[in-house]
Every structure is written in structure tokens, then in C-alpha cells.
Amino acid sequence: MATFVIAIPGTFTNGISGSSRGALRRELAPRHTDLSESEGLDLLTVLEDDTFSVRLEVEAPDRYEAKLRATSLVSHALREAGIPEDEAPLGPPAVTGMEGEA
């Protein structure tokens, strides 16, 4: 198993309110580990054009599984924050870092 840092882009098609943004950050907070905090990793970045990027860490045996787990976690966090899937379509995940052996 290895720890992977995965970036997942997306777009808020109807924008995002401050309360929804806060709820999403709270849902993602458990994925903010000592490693990501020490590296200054920002879990959620939202740009002025309502595009966003989520960066989180996942434990997985390989890159493929890491991408699947990260996408599932982000989809779940969006739902739990009350953001419908069709209002925040996700782009393809990318591995941006890795620690350990995969």
C-alpha cells in the first residue's frame, strides 16, 4: 500500500454558496492528514469561474485504485454537502504525488 495525492478537477455549474463551500470543506477535512498539512496541501480550491480542484490523500495498492477511491470520496463529499452531482461534474483524476511503495 502507498499513500497517493490525487487531484480531481470539476466545475460548479450553478456556482457555489459560502455555506455549501464550508460544508464541502468539512466533508473533506478527514482527508487532510499530517502529510498533506505539512506539505501545505489545500484540499479545495475554487476559482472565480467556478472551476474547482480537490486534492486529497488516499491509501491504495496502485494508481488506478487510488484514482477510483479519490473520485468516490469526492463524489460522496459533494452529496453530503448537499451539492447535486449534475451541479458539480468531475473531471479525470490525476496522481500528483506518492509516498511509499505501490
Side-chain angles (χ1 to χ4, degrees):
M1 288 287 241
T3 301
F4 292 87
V5 178
I6 308 292
I8 301 177
T11 302
F12 293 116
T13 58
N14 293 327
I16 185 169
S17 68
S19 61
S20 292
R21 188 184 305 214
L24 182 55
R25 283 188 186 278
R26 283 190 297 280
E27 289 298 323
L28 294 170
R31 305 309 308 173
H32 208 21
T33 64
D34 291 340
L35 175 63
S36 63
E37 288 177 354
S38 69
E39 294 294 320
L41 185 66
D42 190 7
L43 293 173
L44 175 65
T45 302
V46 180
L47 302 178
E48 290 179 21
D49 64 357
D50 291 323
T51 58
F52 66 92
S53 179
V54 176
R55 289 172 206 82
L56 53 109
E57 293 177 24
V58 294
E59 294 281 329
D62 56 43
R63 290 173 180 264
Y64 177 77
E65 185 65 29
K67 290 178 183 181
L68 289 177
R69 289 181 186 182
T71 300
S72 177
L73 287 166
V74 172
S75 294
H76 179 77
L78 288 164
R79 281 191 305 277
E80 290 297 311
I83 302 167
E85 189 175 325
D86 63 335
E87 291 183 16
L90 301 176
V95 174
T96 60
M98 185 183 95
E99 182 178 82
E101 292 188 32

